[in-house]
Amino acid sequence: MRAARLIKMVLLLQSRPSMTAAELAAELEVSERTVTRDAQALSEAGVPVYAERGRAGGYRLIGGYRTRLTGLHRGEAEALFLSGLPGALREMGLEDAASAARLKVSAALLPSLRDASRSAAQRFHLDAPAWWNEPKTPELLPAVADAVWDDRRVVARYRKGETEVERELEPYGLVLKAGVWYLCARVPGATGSFRVYRIDRFTAVEPSGDRFSRDEDFDLPGFWQERAEQFARAILRAEVVVRLSPAGVRGLPHVLDRVAAREALSRSGAPDAEGWVTVTVPVESEEVAHSQLLGLGAEAEVLAPEGLRARFAADARGMARLYGT
């Protein structure tokens, strides 16, 4: 533990002109007294750490000293490519690896480039979860992430409806979608059978001890896009016929499934004399379509099915009673 801290201290001093004891203590999460002892230990080991006293003093390396301990190991290199996703790294248990990787890269850069990480952080930030949702980190996510990085089979129990199912899985990749974590995995023995699991539905995950041979042709982004489209189409089991104003045409992709809305609009006929168009849109159910299309207000008229049109007519009468004079 102390050896890792001493190395980190050297890398910190190598990446900056100088640092105060308070700054080092904050970075290393120790007391200033420990920083003083560590600096003394480095000096005795031959690392030229120089302490400047006074108000503007601090610690620095002298003589152009450069450590050779800047090589990235695999975990740090993989985490570095995800370093723009601090929340995701923290949830997967990779925050320390990413911090060490960024520090090593900073130490290896020319002095004129050492502000690159700060400059990038000031210009880009990814906030993955959707608005008004408070995502919860699945308790078993770090264990699943470890298995993914290590290409190691796991025996997982997960909730399927009212029951629990146990499966041996080959965990290929993780996907964070709108604040929800998913695992893309293959079931051993089922050729080409890749499946998607919500990690918050896992109740137990145990490594089986065996590594699996990864299919190098597996394309995680492509697989996820295909499955997401299949899922979206699979749940759209009903259809509604809607007459839309120009404003309703613009708003339809914002209240329904965007792909389905765009395809429906592309198949619509010419506008009528009032500029309205009639489209047939696939929806999950009449109940869901009712709540979604309400968002378009008077810019949409449901023509079919008759039951859904009747619900909107009842809504209109109720609104008229509530707001009418």
Side-chain angles (χ1 to χ4, degrees):
M1 183 70 179
R2 190 191 185 199
R5 188 176 72 240
L6 293 174
I7 292 172
K8 186 173 183 179
M9 184 174 180
V10 173
L11 292 172
L12 284 167
L13 293 174
Q14 185 173 306
S15 65
R16 306 179 193 182
S18 68
M19 295 183 70
T20 66
E23 290 171 337
L24 284 168
E27 289 280 358
L28 300 172
E29 298 181 349
V30 296
S31 66
E32 293 185 33
R33 184 184 296 274
T34 298
V35 167
T36 300
R37 289 198 297 265
D38 285 352
Q40 180 64 32
L42 287 171
S43 181
E44 292 173 355
V47 179
V49 177
Y50 178 72
E52 294 179 321
R53 300 188 180 280
R55 193 169 185 178
Y59 292 90
R60 63 184 178 87
L61 296 174
I62 60 175
Y65 180 84
R66 307 285 295 178
T67 177
R68 296 180 181 274
L69 299 173
T70 53
L72 298 180
H73 63 64
R74 170 172 284 276
E76 293 170 345
E78 290 170 336
L80 183 61
F81 285 105
L82 299 173
S83 59
L85 312 172
L89 284 168
R90 183 171 55 254
E91 292 176 8
M92 288 189 290
L94 295 174
E95 187 175 28
D96 289 343
S99 175
R102 287 192 296 268
L103 186 58
K104 289 182 177 181
V105 170
S106 179
L109 291 174
L110 294 172
S112 60
L113 299 178
R114 287 180 186 160
D115 66 341
S117 61
R118 182 177 62 85
S119 176
Q122 289 175 335
R123 289 164 173 79
F124 175 77
H125 174 68
L126 176 65
D127 186 7
W131 289 104
W132 303 297
N133 286 331
E134 187 64 34
K136 294 183 179 179
T137 302
E139 182 179 346
L140 295 174
L141 175 60
V144 175
D146 284 345
V148 169
W149 296 124
D150 203 26
D151 291 343
R152 190 174 295 279
R153 287 193 178 103
V154 297
V155 176
R157 293 187 62 82
Y158 65 96
R159 293 187 299 275
K160 189 174 182 180
E162 299 298 321
T163 62
E164 283 195 0
V165 179
E166 184 173 285
R167 290 280 188 277
E168 184 178 29
L169 301 175
E170 295 176 350
Y172 265 68
L174 295 167
V175 175
L176 176 60
K177 170 70 172 179
V180 179
W181 284 95
Y182 296 88
L183 172 67
C184 301
R186 184 168 63 181
V187 179
T191 305
S193 180
F194 286 96
R195 302 176 185 179
V196 176
Y197 302 87
R198 277 186 59 146
I199 295 180
D200 59 6
R201 292 178 182 168
F202 284 133
T203 59
V205 174
E206 293 291 338
S208 68
D210 299 325
R211 285 190 170 89
F212 62 91
S213 297
R214 177 176 287 268
D215 181 354
E216 296 301 330
D217 293 330
F218 178 74
D219 174 19
L220 179 59
F223 169 78
W224 177 258
Q225 181 177 357
E226 180 183 349
R227 282 303 175 91
E229 291 177 358
Q230 289 176 359
F231 173 77
R233 295 179 188 281
I235 66 173
L236 302 179
R237 302 185 183 92
E239 288 186 341
V240 298
V241 181
V242 189
R243 183 169 172 261
L244 300 167
S245 71
V249 168
R250 293 191 297 272
L252 189 67
H254 299 287
V255 298
L256 298 180
D257 174 76
R258 294 193 176 207
V259 175
R262 284 196 296 267
E263 290 182 359
L265 290 171
S266 69
R267 296 192 299 266
S268 66
D272 61 20
E274 298 176 333
W276 289 50
V277 298
T278 300
V279 298
T280 300
V281 185
V283 294
E284 185 174 346
S285 66
E286 288 188 23
E287 183 71 27
V288 173
H290 175 254
S291 63
Q292 292 173 327
L293 291 172
L294 276 175
L296 295 179
E299 306 302 328
E301 177 189 2
V302 174
L303 303 180
E306 187 58 40
L308 184 58
R309 180 178 173 85
R311 292 185 65 173
F312 274 92
D315 292 338
R317 289 191 295 271
M319 295 289 283
R321 286 194 300 271
L322 186 62
Y323 292 101
T325 56

